[in-house]
Amino acid sequence: MLKLCIFGNPVDHSLSPWIHRQFANQKKSFMDYIKIKASIHDFPALLENFKNARGNGCNITAPCKEIAYQIADKVSSRAEFAKAVNTMKIFSDGTLYGDNTD
């Protein structure tokens, strides 16, 4: 099962889990997508916990995008240009790949 989340603060209003579940249902895929409230201070530890829980990827919103950029092991050219990451893939070896789709 694919394990995804969105990090941010505020995050309660996010429709990302609902939107992604609709897509997964259409594709007959199984996934778990949760919301995790995170400040810039606790985001690194929360991301590490999610990674250790076999998370596969996440969306990142305010205020954590710049911190995500600093934490990522590798980033896309878009993330490099923006100095911010709003999507992150977690590879099986623990490598964090950040991108920016804003």
Side-chain angles (χ1 to χ4, degrees):
M1 177 186 296
L2 196 58
K3 193 173 194 178
L4 306 170
C5 76
I6 182 166
F7 288 101
N9 188 11
V11 75
D12 291 336
H13 69 285
S14 175
L15 296 177
S16 289
W18 182 83
I19 291 167
H20 285 82
R21 281 189 195 109
Q22 300 308 306
F23 180 73
N25 289 341
Q26 289 175 3
K27 295 294 183 181
K28 308 275 192 264
S29 298
F30 296 101
M31 61 162 277
D32 185 24
Y33 195 121
I34 61 172
K35 300 175 189 179
I36 300 176
K37 187 174 180 180
S39 71
I40 58 172
H41 304 292
D42 61 8
F43 172 69
L46 292 169
L47 176 60
E48 186 67 21
N49 290 343
F50 183 70
K51 182 172 87 168
N52 291 338
R54 297 183 169 220
N56 302 105
C58 55
N59 293 100
I60 300 127
T61 190
C64 302
K65 294 177 184 185
E66 291 82 10
I67 301 296
Y69 170 78
Q70 295 171 7
I71 292 172
D73 298 306
K74 298 178 184 177
V75 296
S76 69
S77 59
R78 293 182 296 249
E80 182 65 40
F81 179 78
K83 303 290 189 244
V85 162
N86 73 339
T87 62
M88 189 173 281
K89 178 171 176 55
I90 304 169
F91 288 93
S92 59
D93 67 358
T95 300
L96 300 172
Y97 178 76
D99 195 6
N100 191 310
T101 59
D102 285 342

